[in-house]
Amino acid sequence: MSDASSTPASQELRPRVEKLLSDILGLMGFPARLDFKDASDGSLCVALHFQDGPPPGVEQGKRSQVMDSLQFLLNKMLHRPGAERRFVLLGAGAHPEPRSERARKEPAAPAPAAPAPAAPAPRAAPPAAPARGQARAAPVKAAPAAPKPVAARPVEGDERALEVSEEPSLRAAARALAEKSATLGRAYALVTMKSEDRARVLKAVGDVPGLKVSCEGEGRNRRVVFTPDKLAPLPKRSMLPADDDEDELEG
């Protein structure tokens, strides 16, 4: 979908963005209708309207790690070294706002009030001198404070021990990715999943030959990792350039 105010540069970029996004979303199993819009800061905004619902961890109209990762990957693939750069911003169900517009709408934080000057502490009177012939008492040292106990770091549970119901759509997508990982020799990882969904993936792909599947990381960074028994080297022409600044790709 295009708008009447699109520039020639935008019309040239849009077919590439549409082709790359359609291929990536198709491999993910979440096809979407793409709606393009030229932003005020010169970037290209794309609203992703998922046909069968958004992927896990994605909410309509809100930013997420999944959308940020997809945006970062797309810009890496579009911007080759030495070429003119025009960044693409992605939003789930709506056009994302450029960073400059979001900063203009957010209220400025009030300056912290200066602390009141503290009153000077009263000067302690010097100790009275002992009477003549009286022994001077030796100062008593305070006992050192006991060290505070360090809280034990919580250990992530084993997803394989969870009892979960089967979801056919998730099982089919997980097995397709596992078979692709084993066949091509590529390592993949599934992020932003609940522990129950990670358990369903482990249960679904446990019998895929030539592949090792495990859960790694802690908290929000915990992920399901597909590692083939025989890793294939990535062709040089498919390697992404490493000269882009990640901060510039943030929408």
Side-chain angles (χ1 to χ4, degrees):
M1 179 177 179
S2 61
D3 51 52
S5 61
S6 59
T7 62
S10 174
Q11 294 177 354
E12 182 180 353
L13 179 63
R14 290 184 184 188
R16 298 176 56 203
V17 174
E18 184 174 7
K19 177 65 168 61
L20 287 173
L21 267 182
S22 299
D23 291 345
I24 295 174
L25 296 174
L27 292 174
M28 291 173 59
F30 294 94
R33 178 176 59 86
L34 307 181
D35 186 11
F36 295 87
K37 176 183 177 182
D38 290 327
S40 58
D41 63 349
S43 58
L44 179 62
C45 295
V46 186
L48 278 62
H49 301 280
F50 295 99
Q51 299 177 6
D52 301 322
V58 176
E59 297 185 24
Q60 298 285 349
K62 296 184 179 180
R63 294 187 59 183
S64 64
Q65 290 183 347
V66 176
M67 295 301 296
D68 289 347
S69 300
L70 183 59
Q71 175 180 298
F72 177 79
L73 174 63
L74 178 64
N75 281 281
K76 279 285 189 180
M77 299 175 70
L78 287 171
H79 301 142
R80 297 296 178 181
E84 182 181 358
R85 302 180 181 181
R86 187 185 182 201
F87 294 110
V88 180
L89 307 178
L90 303 182
H95 291 104
E97 288 185 329
R99 191 183 338 186
S100 58
E101 294 185 8
R102 291 203 310 268
R104 186 168 56 251
K105 292 181 179 180
E106 293 177 355
R123 189 171 183 178
R132 189 172 183 180
Q134 183 180 358
R136 184 184 297 271
V140 180
K141 294 184 178 180
K148 295 182 179 180
V150 180
R153 193 170 188 177
V155 180
E156 293 287 347
D158 184 6
E159 286 82 352
R160 298 181 188 275
L162 296 179
E163 294 293 337
V164 293
S165 60
E166 182 176 318
E167 291 189 6
S169 58
L170 179 59
R171 172 182 171 83
R175 290 191 65 87
L177 182 61
E179 293 171 356
K180 180 179 179 181
S181 176
T183 302
L184 301 180
R186 298 282 187 266
Y188 297 99
L190 299 177
V191 298
T192 65
M193 300 184 71
K194 298 180 180 179
S195 57
E196 293 81 2
D197 290 335
R198 293 195 296 267
R200 292 186 177 95
V201 173
L202 293 175
K203 182 178 179 181
V205 302
D207 59 345
V208 176
L211 185 70
K212 176 184 176 184
V213 185
S214 60
C215 290
E216 301 178 2
E218 298 178 358
R220 295 178 57 190
N221 296 325
R222 193 158 176 82
R223 57 202 175 275
V224 183
V225 180
F226 295 74
T227 306
D229 294 344
K230 296 181 180 180
L231 282 170
L234 188 66
K236 291 185 177 180
R237 66 176 182 274
S238 301
M239 297 181 67
L240 302 177
D243 63 333
D244 288 346
D245 187 353
E246 296 186 14
D247 294 337
E248 295 180 358
L249 300 180
E250 182 183 355

